Amino acid sequence: MGPLTAATEPAVWTGPDGDPLPFTTDEEVLDFLSDAKVVSHKKLRTGINRPRKVLLERDGVRAHAIFRTVHQSFPKGGRIQAGGRDEAIFEVAAYRLARLLELDTIPPVVERRLFGKKGSLQLWIENAMTEQKRIEKRLLPENPLVWRHQIDRMRFFDNLLYNDDRNLGNILFDSEWKLWMVDHTRGFRAAPVLFAPATLRRCENRLWQRLQELEPATIRKELRRYLTIEEMKALLRRRELLLEHIEELIAKAGPKEVLFSLR
């Protein structure tokens, strides 16, 4: 995989024992995921496509990751209104697009062949809890406003991807109450519309600025190997619609009511 054109802030990744991993950049994590040896693996019971949780090791460093291999198309109609593809490779596309937007809420992921199949291999977020578990345990975020803003940021990104498959099982938060977005295999539909514009009432200021600055040519260059021509056209059209939608909100309510900062 080629170099990314934008970098996120350094994250502190942890291994199976809870200790910090010796990585200071996403690039170091990507390098590890690309060639670390598989020590053990097991199929997960959660998720329709039964991904595998694998334990990786290289030079004495161990880390968990999730390996997805789904590759199928689904027709229009039913729950999947826009049709499209269910593709493991979309995990990589979503991550690379998030990096372009300086959005650091998707764990590093690479393309890799394991167990005789091509798929996506993504770093596992240790000691994370799904939104479903949070609700079941009746846990409340330490800072409700920050939590709500993280949800707003997720909705913005999901509308950009046309990822209407977001659910309580693929929204994670770690011990610091940081929200992580995983499972984007059903994103990137060839639908040139926003699937839930009514949910977009606020937007992170930095994300809004990055989307304005991000040139269509840069998006094409970064994602062309993962998307079809129609999927790319739809993505770029949704970018335009998001820009128009936020501009309309700002015009009506003012920037202070619409834009926020998480930093």
Side-chain angles (χ1 to χ4, degrees), residues 61-97:
V61 176
R62 289 192 169 196
H64 282 126
I66 182 168
F67 183 60
R68 296 183 174 91
T69 59
V70 61
H71 173 70
Q72 63 182 4
S73 298
F74 35 76
K76 294 182 179 181
R79 182 172 178 275
I80 311 299
Q81 294 295 326
R85 298 188 290 159
D86 199 351
E87 290 283 348
I89 201 63
F90 285 164
E91 300 290 357
V92 182
Y95 170 72
R96 294 181 75 91
L97 181 57

PDB file of all heavy atoms in Angstrom, residues 61-97:
ATOM      1  N   VAL A  61       6.929  -8.532  19.558  1.00  0.00           N
ATOM      2  CA  VAL A  61       5.749  -7.683  19.756  1.00  0.00           C
ATOM      3  C   VAL A  61       4.505  -8.452  19.327  1.00  0.00           C
ATOM      4  O   VAL A  61       4.461  -9.012  18.223  1.00  0.00           O
ATOM      5  CB  VAL A  61       5.857  -6.376  18.945  1.00  0.00           C
ATOM      6  CG1 VAL A  61       4.582  -5.550  19.088  1.00  0.00           C
ATOM      7  CG2 VAL A  61       7.068  -5.579  19.398  1.00  0.00           C
ATOM      8  N   ARG A  62       3.520  -8.488  20.193  1.00  0.00           N
ATOM      9  CA  ARG A  62       2.265  -9.177  19.890  1.00  0.00           C
ATOM     10  C   ARG A  62       1.089  -8.200  19.887  1.00  0.00           C
ATOM     11  O   ARG A  62       1.033  -7.290  20.711  1.00  0.00           O
ATOM     12  CB  ARG A  62       1.992 -10.292  20.895  1.00  0.00           C
ATOM     13  CG  ARG A  62       2.914 -11.487  20.742  1.00  0.00           C
ATOM     14  CD  ARG A  62       2.413 -12.673  21.545  1.00  0.00           C
ATOM     15  NE  ARG A  62       3.140 -13.908  21.218  1.00  0.00           N
ATOM     16  CZ  ARG A  62       2.714 -15.120  21.529  1.00  0.00           C
ATOM     17  NH1 ARG A  62       1.573 -15.273  22.199  1.00  0.00           N
ATOM     18  NH2 ARG A  62       3.412 -16.189  21.183  1.00  0.00           N
ATOM     19  N   ALA A  63       0.174  -8.425  18.949  1.00  0.00           N
ATOM     20  CA  ALA A  63      -1.020  -7.588  18.865  1.00  0.00           C
ATOM     21  C   ALA A  63      -2.137  -8.372  18.202  1.00  0.00           C
ATOM     22  O   ALA A  63      -1.891  -9.231  17.353  1.00  0.00           O
ATOM     23  CB  ALA A  63      -0.726  -6.316  18.067  1.00  0.00           C
ATOM     24  N   HIS A  64      -3.357  -8.075  18.596  1.00  0.00           N
ATOM     25  CA  HIS A  64      -4.527  -8.691  17.971  1.00  0.00           C
ATOM     26  C   HIS A  64      -4.971  -7.866  16.759  1.00  0.00           C
ATOM     27  O   HIS A  64      -4.748  -6.657  16.694  1.00  0.00           O
ATOM     28  CB  HIS A  64      -5.692  -8.786  18.949  1.00  0.00           C
ATOM     29  CG  HIS A  64      -5.573  -9.916  19.923  1.00  0.00           C
ATOM     30  ND1 HIS A  64      -5.651  -9.741  21.294  1.00  0.00           N
ATOM     31  CD2 HIS A  64      -5.386 -11.249  19.723  1.00  0.00           C
ATOM     32  CE1 HIS A  64      -5.520 -10.916  21.890  1.00  0.00           C
ATOM     33  NE2 HIS A  64      -5.366 -11.841  20.958  1.00  0.00           N
ATOM     34  N   ALA A  65      -5.612  -8.541  15.820  1.00  0.00           N
ATOM     35  CA  ALA A  65      -6.182  -7.877  14.652  1.00  0.00           C
ATOM     36  C   ALA A  65      -7.410  -8.661  14.212  1.00  0.00           C
ATOM     37  O   ALA A  65      -7.623  -9.805  14.630  1.00  0.00           O
ATOM     38  CB  ALA A  65      -5.164  -7.797  13.522  1.00  0.00           C
ATOM     39  N   ILE A  66      -8.217  -8.045  13.368  1.00  0.00           N
ATOM     40  CA  ILE A  66      -9.402  -8.717  12.837  1.00  0.00           C
ATOM     41  C   ILE A  66      -9.245  -8.848  11.326  1.00  0.00           C
ATOM     42  O   ILE A  66      -8.881  -7.888  10.638  1.00  0.00           O
ATOM     43  CB  ILE A  66     -10.701  -7.961  13.206  1.00  0.00           C
ATOM     44  CG1 ILE A  66     -11.929  -8.715  12.688  1.00  0.00           C
ATOM     45  CG2 ILE A  66     -10.674  -6.527  12.705  1.00  0.00           C
ATOM     46  CD1 ILE A  66     -13.246  -8.189  13.245  1.00  0.00           C
ATOM     47  N   PHE A  67      -9.486 -10.059  10.816  1.00  0.00           N
ATOM     48  CA  PHE A  67      -9.304 -10.367   9.402  1.00  0.00           C
ATOM     49  C   PHE A  67     -10.665 -10.625   8.769  1.00  0.00           C
ATOM     50  O   PHE A  67     -11.404 -11.523   9.179  1.00  0.00           O
ATOM     51  CB  PHE A  67      -8.404 -11.592   9.246  1.00  0.00           C
ATOM     52  CG  PHE A  67      -8.094 -11.957   7.824  1.00  0.00           C
ATOM     53  CD1 PHE A  67      -7.437 -11.063   6.993  1.00  0.00           C
ATOM     54  CD2 PHE A  67      -8.445 -13.198   7.320  1.00  0.00           C
ATOM     55  CE1 PHE A  67      -7.133 -11.397   5.670  1.00  0.00           C
ATOM     56  CE2 PHE A  67      -8.149 -13.546   6.007  1.00  0.00           C
ATOM     57  CZ  PHE A  67      -7.495 -12.644   5.183  1.00  0.00           C
ATOM     58  N   ARG A  68     -10.993  -9.827   7.738  1.00  0.00           N
ATOM     59  CA  ARG A  68     -12.270  -9.956   7.038  1.00  0.00           C
ATOM     60  C   ARG A  68     -12.009 -10.353   5.592  1.00  0.00           C
ATOM     61  O   ARG A  68     -11.090  -9.841   4.953  1.00  0.00           O
ATOM     62  CB  ARG A  68     -13.057  -8.641   7.074  1.00  0.00           C
ATOM     63  CG  ARG A  68     -13.485  -8.189   8.467  1.00  0.00           C
ATOM     64  CD  ARG A  68     -14.318  -6.916   8.377  1.00  0.00           C
ATOM     65  NE  ARG A  68     -14.861  -6.515   9.659  1.00  0.00           N
ATOM     66  CZ  ARG A  68     -14.255  -5.697  10.510  1.00  0.00           C
ATOM     67  NH1 ARG A  68     -13.055  -5.210  10.201  1.00  0.00           N
ATOM     68  NH2 ARG A  68     -14.815  -5.367  11.654  1.00  0.00           N
ATOM     69  N   THR A  69     -12.862 -11.230   5.058  1.00  0.00           N
ATOM     70  CA  THR A  69     -12.680 -11.710   3.691  1.00  0.00           C
ATOM     71  C   THR A  69     -13.941 -11.599   2.842  1.00  0.00           C
ATOM     72  O   THR A  69     -13.976 -12.113   1.731  1.00  0.00           O
ATOM     73  CB  THR A  69     -12.226 -13.182   3.687  1.00  0.00           C
ATOM     74  OG1 THR A  69     -13.218 -13.977   4.368  1.00  0.00           O
ATOM     75  CG2 THR A  69     -10.887 -13.341   4.368  1.00  0.00           C
ATOM     76  N   VAL A  70     -14.976 -10.946   3.340  1.00  0.00           N
ATOM     77  CA  VAL A  70     -16.245 -10.902   2.618  1.00  0.00           C
ATOM     78  C   VAL A  70     -16.051 -10.283   1.232  1.00  0.00           C
ATOM     79  O   VAL A  70     -15.307  -9.320   1.051  1.00  0.00           O
ATOM     80  CB  VAL A  70     -17.302 -10.118   3.427  1.00  0.00           C
ATOM     81  CG1 VAL A  70     -16.867  -8.678   3.668  1.00  0.00           C
ATOM     82  CG2 VAL A  70     -18.655 -10.168   2.734  1.00  0.00           C
ATOM     83  N   HIS A  71     -16.744 -10.853   0.251  1.00  0.00           N
ATOM     84  CA  HIS A  71     -16.663 -10.379  -1.134  1.00  0.00           C
ATOM     85  C   HIS A  71     -17.932 -10.827  -1.848  1.00  0.00           C
ATOM     86  O   HIS A  71     -18.015 -11.931  -2.353  1.00  0.00           O
ATOM     87  CB  HIS A  71     -15.428 -10.955  -1.828  1.00  0.00           C
ATOM     88  CG  HIS A  71     -15.352 -10.646  -3.298  1.00  0.00           C
ATOM     89  ND1 HIS A  71     -15.096  -9.373  -3.773  1.00  0.00           N
ATOM     90  CD2 HIS A  71     -15.510 -11.447  -4.386  1.00  0.00           C
ATOM     91  CE1 HIS A  71     -15.100  -9.421  -5.103  1.00  0.00           C
ATOM     92  NE2 HIS A  71     -15.344 -10.653  -5.494  1.00  0.00           N
ATOM     93  N   GLN A  72     -18.936  -9.963  -1.858  1.00  0.00           N
ATOM     94  CA  GLN A  72     -20.195 -10.330  -2.492  1.00  0.00           C
ATOM     95  C   GLN A  72     -20.984  -9.075  -2.864  1.00  0.00           C
ATOM     96  O   GLN A  72     -20.714  -7.983  -2.368  1.00  0.00           O
ATOM     97  CB  GLN A  72     -21.042 -11.201  -1.560  1.00  0.00           C
ATOM     98  CG  GLN A  72     -21.478 -10.504  -0.274  1.00  0.00           C
ATOM     99  CD  GLN A  72     -22.271 -11.416   0.645  1.00  0.00           C
ATOM    100  OE1 GLN A  72     -22.444 -12.591   0.381  1.00  0.00           O
ATOM    101  NE2 GLN A  72     -22.774 -10.867   1.734  1.00  0.00           N
ATOM    102  N   SER A  73     -21.945  -9.260  -3.747  1.00  0.00           N
ATOM    103  CA  SER A  73     -22.840  -8.177  -4.144  1.00  0.00           C
ATOM    104  C   SER A  73     -24.226  -8.464  -3.598  1.00  0.00           C
ATOM    105  O   SER A  73     -24.598  -9.616  -3.370  1.00  0.00           O
ATOM    106  CB  SER A  73     -22.907  -8.069  -5.675  1.00  0.00           C
ATOM    107  OG  SER A  73     -21.638  -7.765  -6.211  1.00  0.00           O
ATOM    108  N   PHE A  74     -24.989  -7.408  -3.379  1.00  0.00           N
ATOM    109  CA  PHE A  74     -26.372  -7.609  -2.975  1.00  0.00           C
ATOM    110  C   PHE A  74     -27.273  -6.683  -3.792  1.00  0.00           C
ATOM    111  O   PHE A  74     -26.902  -5.559  -4.126  1.00  0.00           O
ATOM    112  CB  PHE A  74     -26.585  -7.371  -1.475  1.00  0.00           C
ATOM    113  CG  PHE A  74     -25.751  -6.293  -0.871  1.00  0.00           C
ATOM    114  CD1 PHE A  74     -26.041  -4.954  -1.077  1.00  0.00           C
ATOM    115  CD2 PHE A  74     -24.673  -6.623  -0.071  1.00  0.00           C
ATOM    116  CE1 PHE A  74     -25.272  -3.963  -0.500  1.00  0.00           C
ATOM    117  CE2 PHE A  74     -23.892  -5.629   0.508  1.00  0.00           C
ATOM    118  CZ  PHE A  74     -24.185  -4.298   0.289  1.00  0.00           C
ATOM    119  N   PRO A  75     -28.463  -7.166  -4.140  1.00  0.00           N
ATOM    120  CA  PRO A  75     -29.373  -6.405  -4.994  1.00  0.00           C
ATOM    121  C   PRO A  75     -30.079  -5.296  -4.228  1.00  0.00           C
ATOM    122  O   PRO A  75     -30.049  -5.251  -3.002  1.00  0.00           O
ATOM    123  CB  PRO A  75     -30.377  -7.468  -5.455  1.00  0.00           C
ATOM    124  CG  PRO A  75     -30.423  -8.419  -4.291  1.00  0.00           C
ATOM    125  CD  PRO A  75     -29.007  -8.491  -3.779  1.00  0.00           C
ATOM    126  N   LYS A  76     -30.698  -4.402  -4.980  1.00  0.00           N
ATOM    127  CA  LYS A  76     -31.502  -3.360  -4.362  1.00  0.00           C
ATOM    128  C   LYS A  76     -32.763  -3.966  -3.758  1.00  0.00           C
ATOM    129  O   LYS A  76     -33.232  -5.000  -4.184  1.00  0.00           O
ATOM    130  CB  LYS A  76     -31.893  -2.301  -5.394  1.00  0.00           C
ATOM    131  CG  LYS A  76     -30.726  -1.505  -5.944  1.00  0.00           C
ATOM    132  CD  LYS A  76     -31.212  -0.457  -6.920  1.00  0.00           C
ATOM    133  CE  LYS A  76     -30.054   0.360  -7.463  1.00  0.00           C
ATOM    134  NZ  LYS A  76     -30.498   1.405  -8.412  1.00  0.00           N
ATOM    135  N   GLY A  77     -33.290  -3.250  -2.778  1.00  0.00           N
ATOM    136  CA  GLY A  77     -34.525  -3.719  -2.149  1.00  0.00           C
ATOM    137  C   GLY A  77     -34.273  -4.231  -0.754  1.00  0.00           C
ATOM    138  O   GLY A  77     -33.147  -4.488  -0.349  1.00  0.00           O
ATOM    139  N   GLY A  78     -35.354  -4.363   0.007  1.00  0.00           N
ATOM    140  CA  GLY A  78     -35.223  -4.855   1.370  1.00  0.00           C
ATOM    141  C   GLY A  78     -34.476  -3.860   2.228  1.00  0.00           C
ATOM    142  O   GLY A  78     -34.582  -2.643   2.066  1.00  0.00           O
ATOM    143  N   ARG A  79     -33.665  -4.373   3.147  1.00  0.00           N
ATOM    144  CA  ARG A  79     -32.924  -3.500   4.053  1.00  0.00           C
ATOM    145  C   ARG A  79     -31.813  -2.751   3.318  1.00  0.00           C
ATOM    146  O   ARG A  79     -31.485  -1.611   3.637  1.00  0.00           O
ATOM    147  CB  ARG A  79     -32.318  -4.322   5.188  1.00  0.00           C
ATOM    148  CG  ARG A  79     -31.562  -3.500   6.206  1.00  0.00           C
ATOM    149  CD  ARG A  79     -31.169  -4.355   7.400  1.00  0.00           C
ATOM    150  NE  ARG A  79     -30.398  -3.580   8.344  1.00  0.00           N
ATOM    151  CZ  ARG A  79     -29.081  -3.393   8.265  1.00  0.00           C
ATOM    152  NH1 ARG A  79     -28.417  -3.958   7.281  1.00  0.00           N
ATOM    153  NH2 ARG A  79     -28.449  -2.671   9.165  1.00  0.00           N
ATOM    154  N   ILE A  80     -31.227  -3.380   2.321  1.00  0.00           N
ATOM    155  CA  ILE A  80     -30.141  -2.744   1.560  1.00  0.00           C
ATOM    156  C   ILE A  80     -30.757  -2.000   0.383  1.00  0.00           C
ATOM    157  O   ILE A  80     -30.816  -2.498  -0.734  1.00  0.00           O
ATOM    158  CB  ILE A  80     -29.120  -3.785   1.075  1.00  0.00           C
ATOM    159  CG1 ILE A  80     -28.700  -4.694   2.220  1.00  0.00           C
ATOM    160  CG2 ILE A  80     -27.909  -3.099   0.472  1.00  0.00           C
ATOM    161  CD1 ILE A  80     -28.037  -3.971   3.383  1.00  0.00           C
ATOM    162  N   GLN A  81     -31.271  -0.818   0.633  1.00  0.00           N
ATOM    163  CA  GLN A  81     -32.042  -0.099  -0.356  1.00  0.00           C
ATOM    164  C   GLN A  81     -31.245   0.290  -1.598  1.00  0.00           C
ATOM    165  O   GLN A  81     -31.763   0.296  -2.701  1.00  0.00           O
ATOM    166  CB  GLN A  81     -32.643   1.167   0.282  1.00  0.00           C
ATOM    167  CG  GLN A  81     -33.668   0.890   1.365  1.00  0.00           C
ATOM    168  CD  GLN A  81     -34.911   0.198   0.826  1.00  0.00           C
ATOM    169  OE1 GLN A  81     -35.331   0.434  -0.295  1.00  0.00           O
ATOM    170  NE2 GLN A  81     -35.495  -0.669   1.633  1.00  0.00           N
ATOM    171  N   ALA A  82     -29.980   0.612  -1.424  1.00  0.00           N
ATOM    172  CA  ALA A  82     -29.210   1.135  -2.546  1.00  0.00           C
ATOM    173  C   ALA A  82     -28.419   0.071  -3.295  1.00  0.00           C
ATOM    174  O   ALA A  82     -27.670   0.386  -4.207  1.00  0.00           O
ATOM    175  CB  ALA A  82     -28.257   2.225  -2.046  1.00  0.00           C
ATOM    176  N   GLY A  83     -28.594  -1.185  -2.933  1.00  0.00           N
ATOM    177  CA  GLY A  83     -27.780  -2.210  -3.566  1.00  0.00           C
ATOM    178  C   GLY A  83     -26.323  -2.013  -3.193  1.00  0.00           C
ATOM    179  O   GLY A  83     -25.998  -1.384  -2.208  1.00  0.00           O
ATOM    180  N   GLY A  84     -25.420  -2.592  -3.999  1.00  0.00           N
ATOM    181  CA  GLY A  84     -24.012  -2.356  -3.748  1.00  0.00           C
ATOM    182  C   GLY A  84     -23.230  -3.621  -3.494  1.00  0.00           C
ATOM    183  O   GLY A  84     -23.653  -4.718  -3.857  1.00  0.00           O
ATOM    184  N   ARG A  85     -22.058  -3.459  -2.878  1.00  0.00           N
ATOM    185  CA  ARG A  85     -21.178  -4.582  -2.596  1.00  0.00           C
ATOM    186  C   ARG A  85     -20.880  -4.676  -1.109  1.00  0.00           C
ATOM    187  O   ARG A  85     -20.878  -3.673  -0.408  1.00  0.00           O
ATOM    188  CB  ARG A  85     -19.856  -4.410  -3.351  1.00  0.00           C
ATOM    189  CG  ARG A  85     -19.965  -4.385  -4.853  1.00  0.00           C
ATOM    190  CD  ARG A  85     -18.574  -4.409  -5.474  1.00  0.00           C
ATOM    191  NE  ARG A  85     -17.839  -3.162  -5.273  1.00  0.00           N
ATOM    192  CZ  ARG A  85     -16.521  -3.048  -5.340  1.00  0.00           C
ATOM    193  NH1 ARG A  85     -15.774  -4.119  -5.563  1.00  0.00           N
ATOM    194  NH2 ARG A  85     -15.922  -1.875  -5.181  1.00  0.00           N
ATOM    195  N   ASP A  86     -20.633  -5.875  -0.662  1.00  0.00           N
ATOM    196  CA  ASP A  86     -20.162  -6.137   0.693  1.00  0.00           C
ATOM    197  C   ASP A  86     -18.717  -6.578   0.532  1.00  0.00           C
ATOM    198  O   ASP A  86     -18.449  -7.713   0.123  1.00  0.00           O
ATOM    199  CB  ASP A  86     -21.015  -7.227   1.341  1.00  0.00           C
ATOM    200  CG  ASP A  86     -20.899  -7.235   2.854  1.00  0.00           C
ATOM    201  OD1 ASP A  86     -20.026  -6.520   3.379  1.00  0.00           O
ATOM    202  OD2 ASP A  86     -21.674  -7.953   3.509  1.00  0.00           O
ATOM    203  N   GLU A  87     -17.761  -5.680   0.800  1.00  0.00           N
ATOM    204  CA  GLU A  87     -16.368  -5.910   0.430  1.00  0.00           C
ATOM    205  C   GLU A  87     -15.415  -5.644   1.592  1.00  0.00           C
ATOM    206  O   GLU A  87     -15.432  -4.566   2.182  1.00  0.00           O
ATOM    207  CB  GLU A  87     -15.970  -4.992  -0.725  1.00  0.00           C
ATOM    208  CG  GLU A  87     -16.603  -5.326  -2.052  1.00  0.00           C
ATOM    209  CD  GLU A  87     -15.940  -6.530  -2.716  1.00  0.00           C
ATOM    210  OE1 GLU A  87     -14.869  -6.959  -2.262  1.00  0.00           O
ATOM    211  OE2 GLU A  87     -16.510  -7.023  -3.703  1.00  0.00           O
ATOM    212  N   ALA A  88     -14.582  -6.615   1.884  1.00  0.00           N
ATOM    213  CA  ALA A  88     -13.572  -6.428   2.920  1.00  0.00           C
ATOM    214  C   ALA A  88     -12.640  -5.275   2.573  1.00  0.00           C
ATOM    215  O   ALA A  88     -12.173  -4.542   3.461  1.00  0.00           O
ATOM    216  CB  ALA A  88     -12.772  -7.716   3.110  1.00  0.00           C
ATOM    217  N   ILE A  89     -12.366  -5.092   1.288  1.00  0.00           N
ATOM    218  CA  ILE A  89     -11.428  -4.060   0.871  1.00  0.00           C
ATOM    219  C   ILE A  89     -11.935  -2.662   1.190  1.00  0.00           C
ATOM    220  O   ILE A  89     -11.151  -1.694   1.261  1.00  0.00           O
ATOM    221  CB  ILE A  89     -11.127  -4.194  -0.640  1.00  0.00           C
ATOM    222  CG1 ILE A  89      -9.805  -3.488  -0.983  1.00  0.00           C
ATOM    223  CG2 ILE A  89     -12.261  -3.627  -1.472  1.00  0.00           C
ATOM    224  CD1 ILE A  89      -8.626  -4.083  -0.303  1.00  0.00           C
ATOM    225  N   PHE A  90     -13.237  -2.515   1.405  1.00  0.00           N
ATOM    226  CA  PHE A  90     -13.774  -1.208   1.775  1.00  0.00           C
ATOM    227  C   PHE A  90     -13.266  -0.747   3.136  1.00  0.00           C
ATOM    228  O   PHE A  90     -13.312   0.455   3.454  1.00  0.00           O
ATOM    229  CB  PHE A  90     -15.303  -1.236   1.779  1.00  0.00           C
ATOM    230  CG  PHE A  90     -15.924  -1.227   0.396  1.00  0.00           C
ATOM    231  CD1 PHE A  90     -17.258  -1.581   0.221  1.00  0.00           C
ATOM    232  CD2 PHE A  90     -15.190  -0.858  -0.710  1.00  0.00           C
ATOM    233  CE1 PHE A  90     -17.838  -1.571  -1.034  1.00  0.00           C
ATOM    234  CE2 PHE A  90     -15.757  -0.860  -1.982  1.00  0.00           C
ATOM    235  CZ  PHE A  90     -17.090  -1.204  -2.143  1.00  0.00           C
ATOM    236  N   GLU A  91     -12.812  -1.694   3.964  1.00  0.00           N
ATOM    237  CA  GLU A  91     -12.221  -1.307   5.246  1.00  0.00           C
ATOM    238  C   GLU A  91     -10.983  -0.442   5.003  1.00  0.00           C
ATOM    239  O   GLU A  91     -10.757   0.552   5.697  1.00  0.00           O
ATOM    240  CB  GLU A  91     -11.827  -2.543   6.058  1.00  0.00           C
ATOM    241  CG  GLU A  91     -12.962  -3.475   6.404  1.00  0.00           C
ATOM    242  CD  GLU A  91     -13.918  -2.895   7.435  1.00  0.00           C
ATOM    243  OE1 GLU A  91     -13.674  -1.782   7.940  1.00  0.00           O
ATOM    244  OE2 GLU A  91     -14.914  -3.563   7.736  1.00  0.00           O
ATOM    245  N   VAL A  92     -10.189  -0.839   4.013  1.00  0.00           N
ATOM    246  CA  VAL A  92      -8.989  -0.073   3.677  1.00  0.00           C
ATOM    247  C   VAL A  92      -9.378   1.277   3.083  1.00  0.00           C
ATOM    248  O   VAL A  92      -8.792   2.316   3.412  1.00  0.00           O
ATOM    249  CB  VAL A  92      -8.095  -0.864   2.707  1.00  0.00           C
ATOM    250  CG1 VAL A  92      -6.823  -0.077   2.392  1.00  0.00           C
ATOM    251  CG2 VAL A  92      -7.739  -2.227   3.290  1.00  0.00           C
ATOM    252  N   ALA A  93     -10.369   1.280   2.199  1.00  0.00           N
ATOM    253  CA  ALA A  93     -10.821   2.527   1.577  1.00  0.00           C
ATOM    254  C   ALA A  93     -11.334   3.509   2.626  1.00  0.00           C
ATOM    255  O   ALA A  93     -11.037   4.709   2.570  1.00  0.00           O
ATOM    256  CB  ALA A  93     -11.903   2.228   0.543  1.00  0.00           C
ATOM    257  N   ALA A  94     -12.115   3.017   3.581  1.00  0.00           N
ATOM    258  CA  ALA A  94     -12.655   3.882   4.631  1.00  0.00           C
ATOM    259  C   ALA A  94     -11.533   4.470   5.482  1.00  0.00           C
ATOM    260  O   ALA A  94     -11.554   5.655   5.832  1.00  0.00           O
ATOM    261  CB  ALA A  94     -13.627   3.093   5.503  1.00  0.00           C
ATOM    262  N   TYR A  95     -10.558   3.639   5.806  1.00  0.00           N
ATOM    263  CA  TYR A  95      -9.429   4.108   6.608  1.00  0.00           C
ATOM    264  C   TYR A  95      -8.630   5.181   5.870  1.00  0.00           C
ATOM    265  O   TYR A  95      -8.281   6.227   6.436  1.00  0.00           O
ATOM    266  CB  TYR A  95      -8.525   2.927   6.957  1.00  0.00           C
ATOM    267  CG  TYR A  95      -7.208   3.335   7.582  1.00  0.00           C
ATOM    268  CD1 TYR A  95      -7.153   3.822   8.887  1.00  0.00           C
ATOM    269  CD2 TYR A  95      -6.023   3.247   6.852  1.00  0.00           C
ATOM    270  CE1 TYR A  95      -5.950   4.210   9.453  1.00  0.00           C
ATOM    271  CE2 TYR A  95      -4.810   3.622   7.416  1.00  0.00           C
ATOM    272  CZ  TYR A  95      -4.772   4.106   8.707  1.00  0.00           C
ATOM    273  OH  TYR A  95      -3.585   4.494   9.267  1.00  0.00           O
ATOM    274  N   ARG A  96      -8.365   4.952   4.605  1.00  0.00           N
ATOM    275  CA  ARG A  96      -7.569   5.911   3.838  1.00  0.00           C
ATOM    276  C   ARG A  96      -8.325   7.222   3.646  1.00  0.00           C
ATOM    277  O   ARG A  96      -7.724   8.313   3.680  1.00  0.00           O
ATOM    278  CB  ARG A  96      -7.162   5.296   2.499  1.00  0.00           C
ATOM    279  CG  ARG A  96      -6.205   4.109   2.662  1.00  0.00           C
ATOM    280  CD  ARG A  96      -5.791   3.529   1.331  1.00  0.00           C
ATOM    281  NE  ARG A  96      -4.830   4.376   0.647  1.00  0.00           N
ATOM    282  CZ  ARG A  96      -3.503   4.265   0.773  1.00  0.00           C
ATOM    283  NH1 ARG A  96      -2.985   3.357   1.575  1.00  0.00           N
ATOM    284  NH2 ARG A  96      -2.690   5.056   0.097  1.00  0.00           N
ATOM    285  N   LEU A  97      -9.637   7.154   3.448  1.00  0.00           N
ATOM    286  CA  LEU A  97     -10.429   8.375   3.332  1.00  0.00           C
ATOM    287  C   LEU A  97     -10.441   9.123   4.664  1.00  0.00           C
ATOM    288  O   LEU A  97     -10.347  10.362   4.693  1.00  0.00           O
ATOM    289  CB  LEU A  97     -11.853   8.040   2.897  1.00  0.00           C
ATOM    290  CG  LEU A  97     -12.800   9.234   2.715  1.00  0.00           C
ATOM    291  CD1 LEU A  97     -12.229  10.228   1.701  1.00  0.00           C
ATOM    292  CD2 LEU A  97     -14.185   8.764   2.296  1.00  0.00           C
TER     293      LEU A  97
END
